[in-house]
Amino acid sequence: YGGGMVVYTAKPPSSWDFEAFNTDTEFVVEELLRPNDFANVTVKHTTNRAVIFDSALFHQTDRYRFKKGYENGRINLTLLFGEMQKGDNDDISGSSTLSSGDGTKQEL
């Protein structure tokens, strides 16, 4: 079970570089995610699903537990394109859309 994608509604400050974006987890949690009560959209893992979202939004794999064995694992492909549009961390609710491969869309 589990193994989906958790996409938070917070973006990094525009002054951050790639290293800060991926390593300053204490600041991200305490200053960006906690003040918004960790607002997120969680997309359930299922076979043949694509999740398309603004990768500048903080995101992580949801907790998971799969059966043991090669055939019970999952394959994760990450495709990036374009320039990352970082922003000052105002509430971005409604300004981004999360799309799943099953045709559903959800406003963040």
Side-chain angles (χ1 to χ4, degrees):
Y1 74 91
M5 177 66 68
V6 179
V7 181
Y8 297 97
T9 60
K11 283 187 175 184
S14 58
S15 61
W16 276 19
D17 61 12
F18 182 81
E19 184 176 344
F21 182 84
N22 286 289
T23 59
D24 198 351
T25 55
E26 183 177 343
F27 179 85
V28 170
V29 169
E30 296 303 325
E31 302 296 327
L32 301 177
L33 300 181
R34 189 178 308 282
N36 292 316
D37 200 27
F38 297 90
N40 73 79
V41 173
T42 301
V43 180
K44 181 182 171 187
H45 170 72
T46 188
T47 57
N48 297 320
R49 172 171 286 167
V51 180
I52 301 169
F53 62 96
D54 180 349
S55 64
L57 295 169
F58 291 105
H59 56 280
Q60 68 183 37
T61 300
D62 200 7
R63 293 179 298 172
Y64 63 90
R65 187 173 73 205
F66 298 126
K67 293 179 185 177
K68 292 186 186 262
Y70 175 78
E71 293 181 358
N72 298 311
R74 70 175 186 173
I75 296 173
N76 180 43
L77 298 175
T78 302
L79 307 171
L80 302 172
F81 62 94
E83 296 292 323
M84 182 182 293
Q85 300 298 310
K86 298 179 283 187
D88 292 323
N89 197 42
D90 295 328
D91 181 15
I92 62 158
S93 296
S95 66
S96 294
T97 302
L98 181 115
S99 301
S100 295
D102 63 1
T104 61
K105 293 184 179 183
Q106 184 165 354
E107 293 294 319
L108 294 177

